[in-house]
């Protein structure tokens, strides 16, 4: 990994950019910088500039327009589609034939047979969709607009728009309340009677039904032309002063002193009556005054958000708008506070898109525009949804992990059926993607679809949650049953390689990647891709450990232990790299975005410096080669690479890739872009920054394992290590100054800093403070 070259050619454009922004900041008398506020000096001109708010289920993108304010709305269960069974009825009989062809090296023939006889025919399309738009029309701008500011305060989860028109200052506050299950918009002005506007709701496709009922607008639709959920959104207008009149499908407010807008939304996804549910929520929230709504919202949000604090240093860049800071960083500026902001934005997004009792965060969290978002904003389970939850435990948001974990349990009935009908195997299986209708069959082309490891990989998260919480009831009732069935499938799925006598997985792929055969043909399926074996080794090891914890299924445990002794190992190729497939095939896309054969480095824990230095070296060569061939060109892939280098304990390379993510794959509102927007890169990078500062996957708490030189002084407080430890780390001059460890469970604790290792006997609820030499204070 080469160091970045100085950006001398771009110095003058950068300087001019910063000077012009500084001039506007000075002119508009912006307040002192706030580390946790994203702010902009203009309204959003595109969706990728708008600011997200959400309560886990109900979200909005705030554009902040002066003449017209657009709030693009989402509710997590607004999906087209319905449950369907589309297993290819010929798949089960075809499985041994495809395996035989692959063992014989007839890759093209195997692919063609799998395409015809194993891929399902998914006829019912499903996609996540927008709930609709709420629009506020203030009329033409007739006065000079000054002191404009649009912001999102990550500390309070409140978006705010303010500006001065003539001698009146107008202010809007927008938040989505979890306690009250409503989107709240508050409009005020510095002079009485200054608020006049019309408001309406709409939805793309012009199929939504709109009704006016007094001070309410009701918008409803059976989405997907009747193949999907029935949804409803209800908007209530509470005014203070002035008049209010219904006109057609809109409500007009004139000369008001202040206005509070309350929006609730519901669907029949979970079988309840959506109109009644949204009405009940609206009636409940309408009885509270605005300040009480805001206070309850902030208190609920901060109980999660304020658990973690990060400080990496300060510069004058913090005085500038967020988009200008991003442009400056793209031109070579160093801005540690923007890294802090980006880190906490990732935590903010998880709190706002994944709350207990709801659906998991999808490919765009909960924020997606239109009726056909990219990749249907679905649940891709060949890395994307997993990456969404990498920061959950380590950044002290364990509760936000639960929607994904309970979703895996909900997948089991269909996953059982797919394993039986498609493969003739007991246990549970899922493939590359799914949706809220919980399908686990596969469809499409083998190069992405012939991969039966979706459930097996996802099950890692069930065990990880236990390692952080040690919740025995959760392990017994939720995690272990799901893990056991996934492990049962893998145990039955593996077959003996006739040449090596080792157990291998297949037919399968290294997700979405391809290779060249000896005759130059491009192929994708093999018997025994490296990633499959890494996932299976991880799952079987975790299931064995879980069965021991619960003291059950001893015979099954012994069977899994025996399988592990025969499972094909991770191999190093002649060039020193970890092999991606069973043979040293030439890569068709050597810079491919998926780097699947490093699963054991991250998010797995089979490759560690403590136990496998030779595999660490091979992993380093693997990632260096992938990057030299153009790898990391998508946002989520670059985020994964940050985690790889953190695990390789190379702080400079991790930091260089973090800068690359911000410079090349980050939108003006700090959303990650694939392109287009995918939220997994935000979550993956937040996890990666945490891994740079603390790791606990190798049986010990390792402090500052990948601290870059750029972060000479700083602290992180409230992050969590496996075994139930909350960790605060302070460092100075690039060296550990102090660590405080709160033992939440009373487990013994091994702590490492560099080559120094100490073991603490801890008591539940007690904190331990160590200095830079790991001496107890």
């Amino acid at each position: 990994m080469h160091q970045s070259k100085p950006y001398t050619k771009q110095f003058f454009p950068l300087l001019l950019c910063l000077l012009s922004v500084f001039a506007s900041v000075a002119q508009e008398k912006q307040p002192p910088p706030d580390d946790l506020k994203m702010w902009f000096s203009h309204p959003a001109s595109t969706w990728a500039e708008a600011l997200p708010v959400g309560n886990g289920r109900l979200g909005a993108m705030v554009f902040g327009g002066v003449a017209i304010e657009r709030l693009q709305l989402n509710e997590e269960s607004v999906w087209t589609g319905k449950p369907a069974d589309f297993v290819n009825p010929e798949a089960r009989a075809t499985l041994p034939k495809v395996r035989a062809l692959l063992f014989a090296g007839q890759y093209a023939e195997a692919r063609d047979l799998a395409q015809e006889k194993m891929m399902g025919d998914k006829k019912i399309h499903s996609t996540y969709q927008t709930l609709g738009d709420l629009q506020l029309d203030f009329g033409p701008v007739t006065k000079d607009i000054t002191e404009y500011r649009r912001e999102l305060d990550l500390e309070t989860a409140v978006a705010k728009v303010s500006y001065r028109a003539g001698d009146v200052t107008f202010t809007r506050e927008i938040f989505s309340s979890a306690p009250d299950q409503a989107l709240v918009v508050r409009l005020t002005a510095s002079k009485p009677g200054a608020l006049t506007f019309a408001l309406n709701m709409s939805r793309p496709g012009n199929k939504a039904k709109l009704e006016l009922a007094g001070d309410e607008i009701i918008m409803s639709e059976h989405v997907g032309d009747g193949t999907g959920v029935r949804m409803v959104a209800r908007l209530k207008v509470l005014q203070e002063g002035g008049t209010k009149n219904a006109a057609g499908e809109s409500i007009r407010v004139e000369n008001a002193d202040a206005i509070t807008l309350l929006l609730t939304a519901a669907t029949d996804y979970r079988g309840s009556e959506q109109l009644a549910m949204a009405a009940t929520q609206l009636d409940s929230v309408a009885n509270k005054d605005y300040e009480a709504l805001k206070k309850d919202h902030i208190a609920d949000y901060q109980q999660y958000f304020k658990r973690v604090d990060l400080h990496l240093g300060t510069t004058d860049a913090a005085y500038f708008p967020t988009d200008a800071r991003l442009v400056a960083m793209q031109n070579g500026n160093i801005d540690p506070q923007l890294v802090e902001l980006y880190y906490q934005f990732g935590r903010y997004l998880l709190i706002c898109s994944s709350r207990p009792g709801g659906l998991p965060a999808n490919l765009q969290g909960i924020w997606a525009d239109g009726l056909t978002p990219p990749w249907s904003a679905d649940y891709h389970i060949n890395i994307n949804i997993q990456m969404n939850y990498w920061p959950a435990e380590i950044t002290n948001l364990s509760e936000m992990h639960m929607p994904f974990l309970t979703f895996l349990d909900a997948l089991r009935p269909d996953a059982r059926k797919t394993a039986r009908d498609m493969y003739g195997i007991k246990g549970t299986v899922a493939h590359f993607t799914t949706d809220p209708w919980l399908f686990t069959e596969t469809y499409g082309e083998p190069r992405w679809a012939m991969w039966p490891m979706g459930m097996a990989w996802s099950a890692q998260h069930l065990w990880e949650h236990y390692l952080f919480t040690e919740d025995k009831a959760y392990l017994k009732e939720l995690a272990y049953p799901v893990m056991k069935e996934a492990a049962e499938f893998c145990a039955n799925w593996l077959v003996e390689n006739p040449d090596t006598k080792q157990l291998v997985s297949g037919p399968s792929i290294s997700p979405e990647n391809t290779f060249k055969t000896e005759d130059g043909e491009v192929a994708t399926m093999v018997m025994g891709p490296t990633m499959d074996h890494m996932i299976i080794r991880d799952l079987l090891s975790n299931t064995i450990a879980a069965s021991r914890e619960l003291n059950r299924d001893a015979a099954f445990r012994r069977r899994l232990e025996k399988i592990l002794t025969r499972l094909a190992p991770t191999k190093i190729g002649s060039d020193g790299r970890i092999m991606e497939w069973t043979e040293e095939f030439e890569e068709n896309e050597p810079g491919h975005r998926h780097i699947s054969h490093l699963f054991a480095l991250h998010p797995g824990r089979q490759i560690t410096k403590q136990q496998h230095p030779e595999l660490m070296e091979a992993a380093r060569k693997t990632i260096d080669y992938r990057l030299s061939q153009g790898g990391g060109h998508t946002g989520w892939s670059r985020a994964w690479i940050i985690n790889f280098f953190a695990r390789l304990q190379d702080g400079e390379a991790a930091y260089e890739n973090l800068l690359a993510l911000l410079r090349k794959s980050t939108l003006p509102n700090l959303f990650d872009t694939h392109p287009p927007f995918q939220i997994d890169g935000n979550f993956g990078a937040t996890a990666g920054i945490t891994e740079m500062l603390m790791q606990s996957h190798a049986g010990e708490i390792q402090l500052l394992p990948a601290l870059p030189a750029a972060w000479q002084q700083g602290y992180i407080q409230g992050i969590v290590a496996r075994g139930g430890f909350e960790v605060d780390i302070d460092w100075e001059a690039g060296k550990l100054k102090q660590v405080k460890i709160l033992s939440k469970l009373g487990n013994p604790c091994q702590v490492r800093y560099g080559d120094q290792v100490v073991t603490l006997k801890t008591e539940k609820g007690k904190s331990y403070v160590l200095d830079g030499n790991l001496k107890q204070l």
Side-chain angles (χ1 to χ4, degrees):
M1 181 63 60
H2 301 290
Q3 294 296 315
S4 300
K5 295 179 181 177
Y7 289 78
T8 48
K9 290 182 181 178
Q10 293 152 330
F11 175 75
F12 289 108
L14 167 64
L15 184 61
L16 288 171
C17 167
L18 289 177
L19 284 173
S20 67
V21 173
F22 183 76
S24 70
V25 170
Q27 177 191 354
E28 296 181 17
K29 299 176 183 175
Q30 296 292 348
D34 187 320
D35 283 358
L36 291 175
K37 281 184 180 174
M38 297 165 55
W39 71 273
F40 304 82
S41 58
H42 57 87
S45 58
T46 67
W47 192 88
E49 295 177 5
L51 293 171
V53 295
N55 65 6
R57 180 185 71 85
L58 180 64
M61 294 291 284
V62 180
F63 283 69
V66 174
I68 294 176
E69 169 66 284
R70 179 191 177 199
L71 299 178
Q72 184 268 314
L73 310 169
N74 287 104
E75 199 279 345
E76 66 173 8
S77 60
V78 177
W79 278 81
T80 69
K82 65 180 182 179
D85 185 354
F86 52 93
V87 165
N88 191 317
E90 298 185 85
R92 182 171 175 173
T94 304
L95 177 62
K97 299 173 187 175
V98 172
R99 283 173 166 170
L101 287 169
L102 290 173
F103 277 132
Q106 295 177 269
Y107 301 105
E109 294 87 343
R111 178 199 61 220
D112 293 345
L113 185 59
Q115 178 74 68
E116 181 186 356
K117 305 286 189 181
M118 298 190 77
M119 297 299 102
D121 183 11
K122 190 175 190 295
K123 293 178 179 176
I124 299 172
H125 180 66
S126 58
T127 184
Y128 185 56
Q129 293 188 335
T130 182
L131 178 68
D133 281 359
L134 169 59
Q135 184 170 287
L136 283 62
D137 187 344
F138 297 92
V141 178
T142 58
K143 297 178 181 177
D144 289 341
I145 303 300
T146 58
E147 299 177 32
Y148 181 93
R149 182 179 171 104
R150 176 171 57 98
E151 70 176 40
L152 175 61
D153 188 343
L154 301 184
E155 195 160 18
T156 61
V158 176
K160 185 177 178 181
V161 179
S162 61
Y163 56 88
R164 191 170 179 84
D167 60 351
V168 181
T169 298
F170 294 91
T171 304
R172 297 172 215 149
E173 289 187 328
I174 306 101
F175 59 87
S176 186
S177 167
D180 289 297
Q181 286 298 301
L183 181 74
V184 182
V185 183
R186 174 73 169 173
L187 298 99
T188 56
S190 61
K191 287 191 174 182
L195 286 167
T196 295
F197 62 95
L199 58 111
N200 63 74
M201 297 178 71
S202 61
R203 191 166 193 271
N206 298 317
K207 294 177 181 177
K209 178 184 177 184
L210 288 161
E211 303 170 77
L212 261 66
D215 57 2
E216 285 187 34
I217 301 176
I218 304 166
M219 180 173 68
S220 58
E221 184 178 338
H222 193 170
V223 306
D225 293 321
T227 305
V229 300
R230 291 176 172 85
M231 51 142 275
V232 64
R234 302 183 75 118
L235 176 72
K236 192 176 189 72
V237 183
L238 302 177
Q239 77 186 88
E240 297 166 35
T243 62
K244 177 174 54 186
N245 297 292
E249 295 178 340
S250 65
I251 293 176
R252 182 165 181 82
V253 175
E254 293 191 354
N255 307 123
D257 303 332
I259 294 285
T260 302
L261 306 178
L262 304 172
L263 185 137
T264 61
T267 76
D268 64 352
Y269 173 70
R270 292 183 175 85
S272 48
E273 209 290 309
Q274 70 280 0
L275 283 166
M277 185 189 301
T280 300
Q281 291 169 345
L282 194 57
D283 290 344
S284 174
V285 74
N287 290 324
K288 293 176 69 170
D289 70 69
Y290 175 73
E291 290 304 323
L293 285 168
K294 185 178 174 182
K295 180 182 176 183
D296 290 349
H297 155 72
I298 292 173
D300 170 79
Y301 168 77
Q302 288 188 341
Q303 68 176 312
Y304 305 112
F305 182 79
K306 289 181 80 69
R307 292 172 182 174
V308 171
D309 192 14
L310 172 66
H311 181 70
L312 298 173
T314 59
T315 70
D316 287 343
Y319 283 91
F320 299 99
T322 303
D323 50 350
R325 292 169 70 181
L326 194 61
V327 170
M329 182 172 271
Q330 289 164 353
N331 284 285
N333 193 46
I334 300 302
D335 187 349
Q337 282 164 294
L338 186 61
V339 175
E340 294 169 27
L341 191 68
Y342 185 83
Y343 177 86
Q344 292 287 26
F345 184 52
R347 297 183 66 249
Y348 167 86
L349 292 173
L350 189 59
I351 298 168
C352 293
S353 64
S354 183
R355 288 288 192 110
L359 287 166
N362 64 43
L363 210 53
Q364 294 194 202
I366 54 171
W367 301 277
D369 197 11
L371 303 181
T372 55
W375 299 284
S376 305
D378 64 10
Y379 299 122
H380 260 63
I381 49 176
N382 67 2
I383 185 171
N384 309 103
I385 194 171
Q386 291 93 336
M387 186 180 283
N388 283 2
Y389 289 92
W390 287 352
E393 302 293 339
I394 56 178
T395 76
N396 216 333
L397 297 175
S398 186
E399 298 94 334
M400 283 55 194
H401 210 168
M402 293 310 297
F404 182 35
L405 306 182
T406 54
F407 182 75
L408 296 177
D409 185 48
L411 280 175
R412 285 165 70 198
D414 194 76
R416 239 178 258 134
K417 187 168 55 136
T418 299
R420 181 193 69 220
D421 295 350
M422 186 170 177
Y423 300 117
I425 288 176
K426 288 184 69 176
T428 54
V429 66
H431 294 83
F432 71 102
T433 191
T434 186
D435 65 12
W437 311 114
L438 307 171
F439 74 88
T440 54
E441 305 92 325
T442 195
Y443 68 100
E445 297 181 25
R447 66 189 172 94
W448 68 73
M450 193 58 251
W451 185 76
M453 291 290 117
M455 181 66 92
W457 182 347
S458 298
Q460 181 191 61
H461 284 252
L462 293 154
W463 181 241
E464 285 288 309
H465 182 72
Y466 178 74
L467 291 178
F468 282 88
T469 64
E470 295 191 6
D471 182 340
K472 277 277 177 72
Y474 151 83
L475 183 65
K476 179 182 178 182
E477 294 160 17
L478 175 63
Y480 181 69
V482 182
M483 292 167 64
K484 182 184 176 184
E485 281 194 290
E488 186 176 28
F489 173 83
C490 291
N492 294 323
W493 169 253
L494 293 165
V495 294
E496 185 178 270
N497 182 315
D499 294 331
T500 65
K501 307 304 178 188
Q502 293 168 337
L503 295 177
V504 295
S505 167
S508 190
I509 59 168
S510 193
E512 302 184 24
N513 207 356
T514 55
F515 59 89
K516 292 181 181 176
T517 63
E518 287 183 4
D519 56 7
E521 196 163 5
V522 175
T524 185
M525 289 194 313
V526 295
M527 292 301 296
T530 297
M531 185 195 220
D532 278 24
H533 298 159
M534 289 175 167
I535 290 171
I536 291 169
R537 188 172 288 108
D538 183 270
L539 172 61
L540 268 53
S541 300
N542 294 344
T543 307
I544 289 166
S547 78
R548 284 204 185 101
E549 286 287 303
L550 297 172
N551 193 26
R552 59 191 291 184
D553 297 324
F556 182 63
R557 182 166 71 238
R558 287 191 295 272
R559 183 185 172 205
L560 299 187
E561 288 169 341
K562 186 177 180 181
I563 288 170
L564 284 175
T565 66
R566 298 190 60 206
L567 185 62
T570 300
K571 293 191 288 187
I572 298 174
S574 59
D575 58 3
R577 292 186 289 144
I578 290 174
M579 288 169 54
E580 188 163 359
W581 296 280
T582 41
E583 300 174 42
E584 286 195 74
F585 295 115
E586 180 185 349
E587 291 141 298
N588 187 50
E589 295 179 67
H592 199 269
R593 61 195 175 277
H594 284 261
I595 313 167
S596 305
H597 47 317
L598 292 189
F599 172 91
L601 177 66
H602 183 278
R605 57 183 188 278
Q606 297 157 35
I607 300 177
T608 64
K609 191 172 184 178
Q610 290 88 334
Q611 294 180 316
H612 300 289
E614 76 291 348
L615 287 176
M616 287 283 278
E617 185 180 344
R620 177 61 193 245
K621 289 180 179 177
T622 302
I623 190 64
D624 283 349
Y625 180 77
R626 187 58 62 96
L627 283 170
S628 74
Q629 300 298 311
H633 50 280
T634 68
W636 66 263
S637 182
R638 183 72 70 180
W640 198 5
I641 290 165
I642 298 166
N643 286 274
F644 287 147
F645 279 120
R647 290 279 175 97
L648 289 168
Q649 299 177 28
D650 186 336
E652 299 314 309
Y655 179 66
E656 185 174 327
N657 281 278
L658 175 60
L659 291 182
L661 179 74
L662 286 162
R663 288 170 174 163
K664 299 177 182 179
S665 300
T666 301
L667 295 166
N669 63 357
L670 299 189
F671 271 164
D672 168 75
T673 181
H674 179 283
F677 166 50
Q678 274 189 208
I679 205 166
D680 42 16
N682 289 99
F683 293 137
T686 292
I689 293 166
T690 314
E691 292 270 345
M692 291 168 72
L693 300 175
M694 189 269 290
Q695 296 171 18
S696 65
H697 63 286
E700 57 189 18
I701 298 175
Q702 187 164 5
L703 307 173
L704 307 179
L707 182 70
W711 300 344
Q712 278 294 295
Q713 183 170 328
Y715 60 79
I716 190 163
Q717 299 171 349
I719 53 177
V720 183
R722 292 162 184 84
F725 301 101
E726 203 165 289
V727 183
D728 300 348
I729 307 170
D730 288 77
W731 65 92
E732 277 183 357
K735 303 288 184 185
L736 177 68
K737 179 185 177 184
Q738 180 178 291
V739 60
K740 178 182 176 184
I741 299 172
L742 167 64
S743 178
K744 297 198 285 188
L745 301 172
N747 285 320
C749 176
Q750 186 165 298
V751 184
R752 173 185 292 273
Y753 175 60
D755 293 329
Q756 300 167 282
V757 183
V758 298
T759 301
L760 305 173
K761 291 183 178 179
T762 76
E763 295 177 30
K764 183 177 180 179
K766 190 174 177 182
S767 292
Y768 303 82
V769 180
L770 309 176
D771 66 14
N773 296 310
L774 301 189
K775 303 293 183 187
Q776 197 163 336
L777 299 176

